[in-house]
Every structure is written in C-alpha cells, then in structure tokens.
Amino acid sequence: MAEAWRPAQRRLHWWTAGLVATGFAIAWIMVAVPLRDLLVKFLLFQLHKTIGLTVFALVVWRLGLRNRHGRPADADGLSIAERRAAAAGQALLYGLLLEVPILGYLTACSAPSGFPTLFLGVIPIPSVIGPDPHLFDLLAPIHRWSAIILIALAVGHALQAIRHHRRGRLLLRQMWRAPPH
C-alpha cells in the first residue's frame, strides 16, 4: 500500500473527472443541435469522440500507475461493509470508464452515416467495423445508458467523498493534494 496518492495519480483522477463531465454535457448538446447546423453538430461529435478516446487512455494510464504504485490504505473508521461498498464502487467506476469509450468508439464505427472519427479534429482513427445500422441501433442506447450510469456513480462517489470529508476523514484531502508530512 502506498502512503499517499502520487501527484500523477491525483492529476489523472481530476482530469478524468473533468473530461467525463465535459463529454457528458457535450453529448446532450450535440444530439440537440439540429441537422441544419451540420458543421456545429459534426464538430461537437468530434470533440465528444476526442474526449472519449482521451478518457480511455487516461484510465489505462491510471490503472497502470495504480498497479505499479498501489493506493493509500482505507481511511480509519470505515466498517467492513463500507470498505466493500467502496471497492465495488471503484471497480464499477473503472469498468464503466473503460466500457463507455469502447462502446462510443464502436457506436461511431457502426454509425450509418459513416462519418470518420477524427482525434483532435484532424487525426483519423481507423474503424474496426464498417457502418452497420443494426449494430448501431443496438450499441447506441447501451452507450448512452452506460454513460448515464457512469455519471450517477461518479456523483455518488463525489457525495461519499464529501460525506467522509465532513466527518473528518482525509480521503478528499488525499485526492486533492498530498497530506502534510
């Protein structure tokens, strides 16, 4: 077990959180943009895809750092049930942080429109599958609902961190900045 989260682990946590929230907000905006504003819609979709690909890469990086350096010990005073719930919540969050971008990528690949995925708006990302309306119709709602569940879990995660902080536990402070030596 590590004494504290490393600076890279803390930064990646907050970058991931910010990008997930931004990508989720952009998703709701991009689908509401009318087709007559096709360029705006296209650019929002590309931004959303770039965020998804970036989140996937950051989460893989986070998991590598966590595997290499570990994580701090659980806060004192947590019951066994709280520790298990926290571990299950973390596993679900990490799973969804990987699943949602993968589903988004596959949804984009299978989209009947055949629009490319352009990372940062310029770097073409190859499609592993071609346009497939039936697969798209299957994947799109799974991607959407997985993202909604991810956001709900992330909000619950944040609320629990605030709850622990209000009870004097150092969990939020540990993730915000290194504890004093």
Side-chain angles (χ1 to χ4, degrees):
M1 293 254 162
E3 277 186 44
W5 294 108
R6 293 180 174 264
Q9 289 172 302
R10 290 193 312 272
R11 286 185 191 107
L12 289 170
H13 172 271
W14 293 111
W15 290 344
T16 302
L19 286 172
V20 166
T22 302
F24 189 76
I26 289 170
W28 290 97
I29 295 166
M30 71 188 192
V31 297
V33 170
L35 278 177
R36 70 176 178 272
D37 295 325
L38 189 57
L39 179 59
V40 172
K41 194 172 192 76
F42 177 79
L43 292 173
L44 287 171
F45 267 86
Q46 295 306 326
L47 179 57
H48 178 76
K49 292 187 237 183
T50 293
I51 289 171
L53 292 168
T54 303
V55 165
F56 182 81
L58 291 179
V59 172
V60 169
W61 189 6
R62 284 179 67 183
L63 289 169
L65 286 175
R66 187 172 173 154
N67 185 50
R68 183 173 180 195
H69 300 294
R71 61 181 305 278
D74 289 329
D76 292 335
L78 292 180
S79 70
I80 291 173
E82 286 176 312
R83 290 174 199 271
R84 287 183 181 157
Q90 287 285 322
L92 280 170
L93 277 169
Y94 275 115
L96 286 168
L97 284 167
L98 294 170
E99 175 195 334
V100 171
I102 290 169
L103 285 171
Y105 168 73
L106 293 173
T107 300
C109 289
S110 65
S113 65
F115 285 120
T117 294
L118 302 172
F119 184 72
L120 301 173
V122 293
I123 302 168
I125 303 299
S127 295
V128 294
I129 54 176
D132 182 337
H134 298 294
L135 185 57
F136 176 81
D137 289 342
L138 173 71
L139 293 174
I142 297 171
H143 172 61
R144 179 174 41 265
W145 282 105
S146 294
I148 291 168
I149 293 167
L150 170 60
I151 291 295
L153 279 172
V155 167
H157 175 74
L159 290 174
Q160 285 291 42
I162 292 168
R163 178 178 157 260
H164 288 299
H165 180 75
R166 293 187 70 199
R167 291 184 174 183
R169 295 182 180 132
L170 297 177
L171 297 173
L172 186 58
R173 191 174 307 151
Q174 285 177 338
M175 188 49 78
W176 189 252
R177 65 181 187 278
H181 295 348

